[in-house]
């Protein structure tokens, strides 16, 4: 099915270039240069992915990211000229799945979109269910249940938690976990993994100070004890 994307970008000329380029790959993109109209459209129409600029008129993109993530698990790629590391970290903490600093080639955006969507879409592979007490992984439906309730996870969160579940009670290195989350990129260094783990822990109702399921292993990585 042809992906249907929404973009919130106030640089109309750039938006037109990106939309026309992605159209060549059968990806439909609707851009809104007004962030309020973009948020309204998101509440009315089901889109497959959001491309979000940060420096927008009247509303900061990070605010939009936070608001959208509170209501939806739509994949979010931040596309911004703000390349400061703190902006990247905050964007990931608020629920973005990727951060692409401007300037970049349209083909790189296309590659990021395909990568994120691949992680997000339901798997067409043979059904596999992995159960570890309070956590149940159902790969066919791309769902992880916690105490019987399906978790709302971003693609990167799903990838990392899935890998931990499959290696239950084993120590998994940071490098291995980062490689399992293909929606991350080389820009999102090791600290990004800590952000993802923190978000997952929050959704599991635990904290880093008193972990019950995901335990940090100093100098190595993490271990799920479910």
């Amino acid at each position: 099915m042809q992906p249907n994307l929404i973009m919130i970008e106030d640089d109309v000329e750039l938006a037109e270039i990106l939309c026309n380029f992605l159209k060549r790959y059968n990806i439909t993109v609707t851009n809104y240069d007004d962030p309020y109209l973009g948020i309204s459209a998101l509440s009315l129409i089901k889109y497959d992915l959001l491309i979000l600029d940060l420096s927008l008129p009247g509303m900061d993109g990070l605010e939009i990211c936070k608001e959208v993530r509170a209501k939806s698990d739509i994949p979010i790629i931040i596309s911004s000229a703000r390349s400061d590391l703190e902006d990247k970290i905050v964007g990931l903490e608020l629920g973005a799945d990727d951060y692409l600093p401007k300037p970049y080639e349209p083909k790189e955006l296309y590659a990021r979109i395909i990568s994120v969507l691949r992680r997000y879409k339901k798997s067409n592979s043979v059904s596999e269910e992995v159960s570890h007490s309070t956590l149940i992984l159902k790969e066919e439906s791309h769902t992880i249940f916690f105490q019987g309730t399906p978790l709302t996870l971003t693609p990167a969160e799903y990838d990392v938690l899935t890998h931990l579940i499959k290696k239950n009670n084993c120590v998994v290195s940071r490098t291995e976990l980062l490689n399992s989350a293909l929606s991350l990129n080389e820009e999102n260094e090791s600290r990004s993994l800590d952000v993802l783990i923190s978000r997952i822990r929050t959704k599991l109702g635990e904290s880093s100070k008193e972990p019950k399921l995901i335990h940090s292993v100093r100098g190595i990585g993490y271990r799920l004890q479910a």
Side-chain angles (χ1 to χ4, degrees):
M1 182 179 293
Q2 182 171 315
N4 183 27
L5 278 52
I6 179 172
M7 180 188 297
I8 301 179
E9 168 64 67
D10 66 328
D11 185 334
V12 178
E13 183 177 351
L14 173 62
E16 185 176 0
I17 291 172
L18 295 176
C19 289
N20 289 336
F21 179 85
L22 293 172
K23 188 176 181 180
R24 291 161 49 186
Y25 294 90
N26 295 317
I27 297 177
T28 300
V29 183
T30 303
N31 181 60
Y32 292 89
D33 56 7
D34 183 322
Y36 296 98
L37 292 178
I39 292 174
S40 178
L42 277 166
S43 66
L44 298 173
I45 303 170
K46 181 174 177 57
Y47 292 99
D48 298 310
L49 185 143
L50 165 63
I51 303 169
L52 178 64
D53 185 23
L54 294 187
S55 300
L56 295 164
M59 188 175 191
D60 188 82
L62 292 174
E63 295 179 39
I64 297 175
C65 184
K66 181 179 181 180
E67 183 173 331
V68 170
R69 182 56 70 227
K71 301 176 182 177
S72 169
D73 64 347
I74 183 174
I76 301 173
I77 295 178
I78 291 178
S79 160
S80 176
R82 283 156 53 176
S83 58
D84 183 75
L85 178 60
E86 280 307 308
D87 279 328
K88 295 179 184 179
I89 296 300
V90 172
L92 290 168
E93 287 177 334
L94 293 177
D97 300 283
D98 204 346
Y99 195 113
L100 184 55
K102 299 173 181 175
Y104 55 80
E105 292 295 324
K107 197 164 187 177
E108 183 177 3
L109 175 61
Y110 167 73
R112 301 285 183 90
I113 290 170
I114 295 303
S115 177
V116 172
L117 288 179
R118 187 185 298 123
R119 307 279 72 77
Y120 185 78
K121 288 181 179 178
K122 292 181 179 180
S123 170
N124 291 321
S125 60
V126 178
S127 175
E128 180 178 354
E129 180 175 319
V130 181
S131 176
H132 294 298
S133 179
T134 55
L135 287 168
I136 298 175
L137 165 66
K138 293 190 176 182
E139 289 196 301
E140 185 180 36
S141 61
H142 207 78
T143 306
I144 297 175
F145 291 83
F146 175 58
Q147 296 180 341
T149 301
L151 293 170
T152 300
L153 302 169
T154 68
E157 291 168 358
Y158 174 85
D159 290 343
V160 168
L161 186 53
T162 292
H163 203 75
L164 286 171
I165 290 173
K166 287 184 174 182
K167 297 207 169 185
N168 187 42
N169 286 322
C170 296
V171 177
V172 185
S173 71
R174 300 175 68 86
T175 300
E176 185 177 343
L177 283 172
L178 284 169
N179 288 337
S180 74
L182 298 181
S183 51
L184 291 179
N185 61 81
E186 64 276 6
E187 295 284 344
N188 302 330
E189 301 167 351
S190 181
R191 187 177 170 191
S192 300
L193 179 60
D194 299 325
V195 173
L196 281 174
I197 293 294
S198 176
R199 281 164 29 187
I200 293 170
R201 278 173 167 159
T202 297
K203 293 179 180 183
L204 296 177
E206 62 179 50
S207 68
S208 59
K209 293 182 178 179
E210 297 182 1
K212 299 177 182 177
L213 295 172
I214 301 177
H215 300 265
S216 301
V217 181
R218 185 180 296 274
I220 302 177
Y222 293 92
R223 183 183 81 251
L224 176 71
Q225 189 171 349

